[in-house]
Amino acid sequence: MKRIFTNARLLLPGEEQPREGSLMIDGERIASATDVASHEGAKEIDCQGRLLAPGIVDLGVFAIDKPAFRFGGITRAALMPDQSPVLDLPAMIKQRAAEGKPDLWSHPIAAATIGLEGTHMAEIGLMKRSGAKAVATGRQWIADSGTMLRLLQYCKALDLTLIVHSEDAGLTQGAVATHSETATRLGLASASPAAEAISVARDIALVQETGAPVHFRQVTTQDGLDLVRAAKRENLPVTCGITPAHLLLSDIAISDFRTFTRLSPPLRSEDNRLACLEAVKDGTVDVIASGHDPRGPEDKRLPYAESAPGMAGAETLLALSLTLVRDGTVSIGRLFELLSANPAKILGVEAGLLQAGYEADFILIDEDSPWQVDTRKMAAAAGNTPFDGLPVQGRVTAIYKGGRAY
């Protein structure tokens, strides 16, 4: 059935600002995304001047959390392999791929090593056949460079992107904060931010050796970003991501021992935060993701050093990211490259763009709608957000997956 979404402000590929127009879908795919004339037999839906944007593709969540994703406008979620059990077998990939249906696309990411222990490679070829769109090292960095080299060689042969966690565990073991005046004053075990740059540098050297595509899931320091920036100048197949928390918060946020600010990687200094914003602005950062990791009281209602890292980020991803547009850091078009187009490209799926032939996954947004983040009212499985009480703007008013509202 053909449907035409009229009176919309469309975010079209390559354009910085929305354009007034209409979008037509045919079945589960976009038929046309410019000025669409009336079509006999097509149902028309009035968007009432709302922003019509590609559905968000959240790269690297730790739980499939449908209510949170629906609220946040996420139509596709790439699930990290850090599950119980670990996603290191083809059957587990098939099972988790079906988890989001019919409301959203779930893309389970294959574990790079058996049990995510960093020693023996998992059957990534078989997991690709079962639907895995990428491979990941999970929450850990693979310390053995020989294992990492072989893994990259396999990923290159299989045309899969390797998503890596970038912290040298030899430096960060036991640490819960970035080494700084704040951590010292609070008496928290801390690690040098150099742990990130060291791991990024090693992995870039192996990308030079193999030519395999690598996505650094979170790069949060000036030195790490400089390394990625230099690798891109050499046209190496590297990309990097970040979460809104590392763009909007510094390590000052941990001063009252609030466990909701216990993240991995930990919050950085103000200088590093500003460097991250600049990296978003100059194109070094490719992806903004939620890092969605809902943690209940059993993980968070503990002394800071004993709490588990992670935040529930799906519901706040869009609203927090829109602050970058209001502050002039990026245009709205560039923002949806970071939220939708680039993560879809890394996963190799035909989504993330309002383009003919692509999956009809899109959202309607009221950019100016005000609301307040409230952990007590969040739709997520748990409300562990460091942004509790923050007034924000931007709300999804409708969400479509494969052309179907849900």
Side-chain angles (χ1 to χ4, degrees):
M1 179 181 178
K2 289 185 172 64
R3 276 165 286 176
I4 301 176
F5 292 79
T6 62
N7 190 23
R9 292 161 48 238
L10 303 172
L11 270 181
L12 299 176
E15 298 191 5
E16 296 289 311
Q17 299 299 328
R19 181 200 300 183
E20 292 184 4
S22 303
L23 176 130
M24 183 168 72
I25 63 171
D26 188 354
E28 297 184 351
R29 299 257 172 183
I30 296 172
S32 179
T34 50
D35 292 329
V36 179
S38 296
H39 193 281
E40 185 177 352
K43 179 181 178 181
E44 292 194 5
I45 299 167
D46 187 355
C47 296
Q48 301 178 335
R50 296 272 194 258
L51 181 70
L52 195 156
I56 294 173
V57 182
D58 200 354
L59 185 60
V61 303
F62 291 90
I64 297 300
D65 197 346
K66 290 184 183 181
F69 295 161
R70 184 181 295 111
F71 186 95
I74 295 165
T75 53
R76 291 176 185 258
L79 179 67
M80 292 292 284
D82 312 61
Q83 307 297 315
S84 181
V86 170
L87 305 185
D88 58 3
L89 291 173
M92 295 173 187
I93 297 296
K94 286 183 179 179
Q95 178 185 359
R96 300 311 288 264
E99 189 174 3
K101 295 179 179 178
D103 299 330
L104 77 149
W105 300 97
S106 173
H107 297 299
I109 301 171
T113 57
I114 296 173
L116 290 174
E117 294 176 355
T119 52
H120 303 290
M121 278 195 302
E123 294 285 357
I124 58 177
L126 294 178
M127 287 189 282
K128 178 182 179 180
R129 290 182 197 173
S130 296
K133 302 295 186 183
V135 181
T137 66
R139 290 187 174 96
Q140 305 298 322
W141 183 63
I142 295 178
D144 188 311
S145 296
T147 299
M148 188 66 173
L149 175 63
R150 290 189 294 275
L151 178 60
L152 286 170
Q153 289 169 336
Y154 271 85
C155 287
K156 172 67 173 176
L158 292 167
D159 193 26
L160 287 171
T161 297
L162 179 62
I163 301 172
V164 299
H165 181 83
S166 299
E167 285 183 296
D168 187 325
L171 294 176
T172 61
Q173 189 169 10
V176 298
T178 302
H179 184 64
S180 65
E181 180 183 338
T182 302
T184 301
R185 178 169 47 81
L186 297 175
L188 294 174
S190 60
S192 168
E196 180 175 279
I198 290 169
S199 64
V200 170
R202 195 282 307 264
D203 291 343
I204 286 176
L206 294 178
V207 171
Q208 290 175 317
E209 178 78 14
T210 62
V214 164
H215 176 69
F216 298 99
R217 191 171 66 86
Q218 292 192 68
V219 183
T220 58
T221 64
Q222 172 77 69
D223 291 343
L225 290 163
D226 283 344
L227 288 165
V228 173
R229 195 175 279 118
K232 288 187 170 191
R233 285 198 294 268
E234 294 180 31
N235 293 317
L236 294 177
V238 300
T239 53
C240 76
I242 199 166
T243 68
H246 290 91
L247 293 171
L248 303 176
L249 300 174
S250 72
D251 61 356
I252 298 298
I254 73 173
S255 293
D256 59 358
F257 294 103
R258 286 189 69 235
T259 56
F260 287 176
T261 64
R262 168 95 159 88
L263 306 176
S264 176
L267 293 173
R268 306 300 191 182
S269 68
E270 178 66 7
D271 286 346
N272 279 312
R273 186 187 76 84
L274 294 174
C276 290
L277 286 171
E278 184 59 33
V280 169
K281 189 173 185 177
D282 69 17
T284 302
V285 171
D286 302 276
V287 172
I288 297 178
S290 72
H292 188 65
D293 193 2
R295 300 276 193 173
E298 68 279 4
D299 290 325
K300 287 294 189 180
R301 197 169 293 168
L302 296 167
Y304 193 91
E306 298 174 22
S307 66
M311 63 173 282
E315 289 165 78
T316 57
L317 174 60
L318 175 61
L320 293 174
S321 297
L322 282 170
T323 64
L324 301 176
V325 178
R326 295 190 184 91
D327 293 345
T329 303
V330 295
S331 67
I332 188 72
R334 163 70 175 147
L335 178 63
F336 274 85
E337 289 179 5
L338 294 159
L339 293 173
S340 303
N342 290 344
K345 185 177 180 181
I346 290 168
L347 292 172
V349 294
E350 290 185 333
L353 292 172
L354 299 183
Q355 184 168 302
Y358 274 52
E359 294 280 353
D361 301 340
F362 51 89
I363 53 180
L364 291 176
I365 304 168
D366 183 347
E367 311 106 290
D368 299 319
S369 178
W371 56 285
Q372 187 173 38
V373 180
D374 188 337
T375 57
R376 299 167 300 175
K377 298 177 181 179
M378 289 179 74
N384 54 307
T385 172
F387 296 100
D388 185 30
L390 182 73
V392 292
Q393 286 179 276
R395 186 186 290 273
V396 173
T397 60
I399 180 169
Y400 292 83
K401 180 245 185 184
R404 184 178 68 87
Y406 76 94

